Amino acid sequence: MIQHPLFATEPWCLRETSLDLDVLAQSESVFALSNGHIGWRGNLDEGEPHGLSGSYLNGIHELRPFPYAEAGYGYPEQDQVMINVTDGKVIRLLVDDEPFDLRYGELHSHERCLDLRAGLLDRRVEWSSPSGGRVRVHSQRVVSLVQRSVAAICYDVEAVEHQVRVVVQSELVANEPAQLPSNDPRAAFAINDPLRGEFHDNQGLRCELLHSTGLSEQLIAAAMDHEIEGPPSMKVHSESFDDLGRVTVTVTLKPGEHLRLIKYVTYGWSAQRSTEALRDQVDGALVAARDTGWDGLCSQQLEYLSDFWDRADVEIEGDDEIQQAVRFSLFHVLAAAARSERRAIPAKGLTGNGYDGHAFWDSETFVLMVLSYTMPEAVANALRWRHDTLPAATARAQSLGFRGATFPWRTISGTECSAYWPAGTAAFHVNADVADAVVRYLHATGDHEFEATVGLELLTATARLWYSLGHFDLEGGFRIDGVTGPDEYSAVADNNVYTNLMAQRNLLAASDVAERNDERARELGVDPAEISGWRRAAQAMVVPFDHTLGVHSQSEGFTDHQIWDFAATTQEDYPLLLHFAYFDLYRKQVVKQADLVLAMFLRSDAFTSEQKRVNFEYYEGLTVRDSSLSACCQSVIAAEVGHLALAYDYLAEAALMDLEDLEHNTRDGLHMASLAGTWIGLVAGLGGMRECGATLKFAPRLPEGITRLSFNVEFRGRRLHVEATPSTTSYVLKQGDDLEILHFATTVTVSAGQASVFPVSSDDTLKTGLTPPRQPYGREPTRRLADPARREENL
């Protein structure tokens, strides 16, 4: 979609140079602004036309009972659906009594720019009404990364050529019409009129609305205030109703005269506090916002993002689209998490209501991986949210007959929201994914206080789940049967390699952390016998291997299944989940998304280099990438085993997932995990970064076409700058004490301000001249390199 000629490729912004209503919904997602607490889609200021109107508060949802035809013991009873809250973005404009609607009159110019350094959405329009009244409109929008409850708009109208009578209506709007229902399970369930009016008020330039939800019993307050500049003749009026607050400005503008309106919007919500407390909260936030002022909010935003880019920026030479894409990705990953503060990070962030606003294991495995090395404080907050949901996870485990905690596969508040148990309840790997994020955060930060509290409790609860869920067989192996791994086209399988290896890491980490914090561990009831049991289970973990094929079997017996008939599957049949019964998918060798390949990335220590290469090439022929989570994992392992051109292809697919609307559902919001996968594909893939306990290892390998890759990582209070070219790699410590790292197999001590430069290693584990592996018919990635030799290689 963004390959559309109206979109430009620039290093620090996403710019739309004209307006195409056919891609309006997609553009609303890519131009969305969020801070992890508030989310505003990139809707046009005037509210119409729109693809999907969206204003979201993290955690606000409504409940709906699951309509089971045949319910069963342990089935989740109700779903949680993210809802559209009070919309504070709307500013309607009338020119000589005619509404500013781009579908009418004449649109002379229209440009929008998402500035990734300033954190602003900028829009410039010149339009003539059907009767000839011509105006220029310049608006800027911010969702504050500093003042968590605040969003603001600066809206300027200028008369052009002739005098015009202008009416500006700044609104708070609740219960906007829901989107039409969809048969796509990735789309949201539509709930009409989810908000009930509880209070409304207007005074001068200020309006306030307060609503409640029905079943989830949450209160939402929204308030707006204004600063207005214009000719002395302007008049202002305000009014409010249950679902509408409006401040109206009327004025006659001569050519060159301006009406400038600054709109401050604040939000608050709670399931526990009173209406009076919420009103006080939004009123106080409004006072703080007005005291800061528009210029102050913009300055705060710029300062916040300057610090983030100093920590996180990635530079690429040789591919301008990927350069733009990685900064676009990092911006939205930050926006999804920065101020979420003990709330979930949804799969679509707060850019749309796809997947009903649910958070999955994507957050811990992909999004938190990026943030662990760029903004670790956001990781601590995200894991504290998981810790806050431990009571629900413990109750869920007990209902299923297990000890410890069973974290939900999809959720908003912490309870399971998947009615399809083979994919949801059976996906126990989410528990190990949470534990993995804890371990990664601890290695990246050395946060001992977090380890002794939140970390220990999460690791203990998840380790107890594995020890309870698995069992020792007659040969002494520890088996975990009847589970669903990351690959959702294989369900209720025995000894899924990914699940078992990640559970193994979980058990060992819980043992180590409990022993380091023995007093606190005893308070949790952990004794030496329990730790001994965890270690014994980890050491005896069953990891299936097919000796006939010489590959790891994704799960026990998987490689005995019939291979899916890819040749008979047309492009229109993808994604397979929309066209074939799960029963048929489950009994064939076909992989939705990287599963074993992801295991080779996250548990790199559990495989030899040759096993990685052979496994990767085998599973390439089975993986159809019907999930946006797959390409970045395949990119990482392709780079590690020597298929650099293919790694580049998959990197581009992850990076452009939303910018090219590859999954055809960007309209419902951005894919946060794939956005994170852009950084992962560059830093862990081409940069070869791996975590080796308290040490980082780098093994940079650049494909043809990329001449330089540089990035920063935060690790143990240091800020390390890595710069790789096809021939050399340099390491510079920008901040902190000396740091010991690995360059391939060489131990290196990096000091502040001193570049350590090394030639690219002739690592003998990397084979050259490999035959490119085949993908399923019709599922080859788009080739990134256009040279004739590369084209011939991929025929």
Side-chain angles (χ1 to χ4, degrees), residues 475-677:
E475 298 177 356
F478 190 77
R479 303 176 56 88
I480 302 176
D481 296 330
V483 300
T484 299
D487 171 28
E488 295 157 28
Y489 288 168
S490 300
V492 197
D494 294 343
N495 293 311
N496 171 255
V497 171
Y498 176 88
T499 301
N500 284 20
L501 287 178
M502 297 301 287
Q504 181 185 59
R505 185 182 201 200
N506 189 167
L507 290 161
L508 292 173
S511 302
D512 292 342
V513 170
E515 288 175 344
R516 285 198 298 268
N517 301 274
D518 58 334
E519 184 175 339
R520 175 59 183 141
R522 284 196 299 272
E523 293 174 3
L524 298 175
V526 180
D527 58 27
E530 185 171 23
I531 294 174
S532 177
W534 293 346
R535 290 196 185 278
R536 189 164 69 93
Q539 292 160 3
M541 191 68 68
V542 172
V543 180
F545 189 85
D546 186 326
H547 292 277
T548 301
L549 293 175
V551 299
H552 283 84
S553 185
Q554 179 173 285
S555 56
E556 206 163 71
F558 177 82
T559 49
D560 295 329
H561 292 175
Q562 180 183 357
I563 293 177
W564 184 268
D565 189 352
F566 297 107
T569 307
T570 68
Q571 288 303 294
E572 290 71 28
D573 291 328
Y574 291 99
L576 299 180
L577 63 96
L578 299 183
H579 301 95
F580 296 93
Y582 273 116
F583 167 75
D584 201 20
L585 295 168
Y586 291 162
R587 53 198 290 271
K588 303 286 178 60
Q589 286 191 66
V590 56
V591 178
K592 180 183 181 182
Q593 64 209 70
D595 188 304
L596 181 66
V597 170
L598 179 58
M600 293 194 297
F601 170 33
L602 298 182
R603 284 297 315 275
S604 183
D605 58 303
F607 302 86
T608 67
S609 297
E610 181 64 12
Q611 285 174 342
K612 290 177 186 176
R613 183 186 66 79
V614 175
N615 284 340
F616 176 77
E617 292 174 357
Y618 182 82
Y619 284 92
E620 272 294 282
L622 304 175
T623 304
V624 296
R625 302 192 318 288
D626 279 350
S627 167
S628 61
L629 305 181
S630 194
C632 74
C633 311
Q634 291 169 271
S635 179
V636 169
I637 299 303
E640 182 174 350
V641 302
H643 294 294
L644 293 180
L646 185 58
Y648 193 6
D649 298 340
Y650 283 137
L651 164 65
E653 184 171 306
L656 302 175
M657 184 63 62
D658 289 308
L659 292 178
E660 291 190 0
D661 196 14
L662 298 180
E663 290 281 325
H664 309 297
N665 63 344
T666 295
R667 61 164 285 120
D668 300 324
L670 303 179
H671 298 79
M672 288 299 137
S674 191
L675 293 174

Side-chain angles (χ1 to χ4, degrees), residues 149-389:
S149 301
V150 175
I153 301 171
C154 181
Y155 191 86
D156 184 281
V157 184
E158 177 190 0
V160 180
E161 294 180 347
H162 305 289
Q163 178 175 288
V164 292
R165 186 173 63 256
V166 166
V167 178
V168 172
Q169 299 171 312
S170 176
E171 298 182 350
L172 293 174
V173 185
N175 287 319
E176 294 172 300
Q179 69 182 96
L180 295 175
S182 170
N183 292 325
D184 188 335
R186 301 170 297 182
F189 181 84
I191 295 181
N192 292 306
D193 300 328
L195 301 176
R196 302 185 304 192
E198 299 287 346
F199 174 83
H200 63 84
D201 186 36
N202 62 280
Q203 296 179 20
L205 302 179
R206 182 184 163 284
C207 290
E208 181 180 340
L209 302 180
L210 194 142
H211 289 83
S212 65
T213 58
L215 297 177
S216 62
E217 299 181 338
Q218 296 170 317
L219 286 173
I220 305 109
M224 65 177 180
D225 203 349
H226 301 80
E227 296 174 1
I228 305 174
E229 299 175 8
S233 61
M234 70 178 183
K235 297 179 181 179
V236 181
H237 170 71
S238 66
E239 56 190 335
S240 64
F241 309 92
D242 274 354
D243 288 346
L244 176 66
R246 179 189 291 145
V247 171
T248 302
V249 184
T250 61
V251 69
T252 298
L253 296 177
K254 298 176 182 178
E257 285 189 324
H258 293 253
L259 172 65
R260 184 173 187 253
L261 177 146
I262 297 172
K263 178 179 187 177
Y264 303 100
V265 182
T266 59
Y267 292 94
W269 76 267
S270 178
Q272 297 177 326
R273 287 181 293 145
S274 65
T275 58
E276 292 78 10
L278 277 181
R279 290 184 59 198
D280 288 346
Q281 177 187 340
V282 295
D283 289 346
L286 268 183
V287 171
R290 287 205 57 167
D291 184 61
T292 305
W294 171 259
D295 291 340
L297 288 173
C298 293
S299 296
Q300 288 179 346
Q301 194 86 338
L302 180 63
E303 183 178 354
Y304 187 101
L305 283 166
S306 295
D307 175 67
F308 174 72
W309 290 119
D310 192 51
R311 302 182 188 203
D313 190 27
V314 177
E315 292 183 295
I316 308 147
E317 289 182 3
D319 194 320
D320 293 341
E321 285 184 333
I322 302 298
Q323 178 64 85
Q324 180 187 43
V326 67
R327 287 178 175 147
F328 170 83
S329 299
L330 283 166
F331 176 84
H332 278 294
V333 166
L334 170 71
R339 304 305 304 273
S340 59
E341 294 170 7
R342 301 177 87 136
R343 296 288 169 195
I345 301 175
K348 295 279 191 175
L350 298 178
T351 66
N353 61 1
Y355 300 108
D356 289 325
H358 291 161
F360 296 76
W361 63 283
D362 313 10
S363 298
E364 280 78 17
T365 299
F366 297 91
V367 176
L368 296 193
M369 179 182 293
V370 177
L371 294 173
S372 290
Y373 303 110
T374 57
M375 197 173 186
E377 56 269 34
V379 178
N381 279 324
L383 292 173
R384 287 189 180 99
W385 168 72
R386 284 291 189 187
H387 182 261
D388 290 343
T389 68

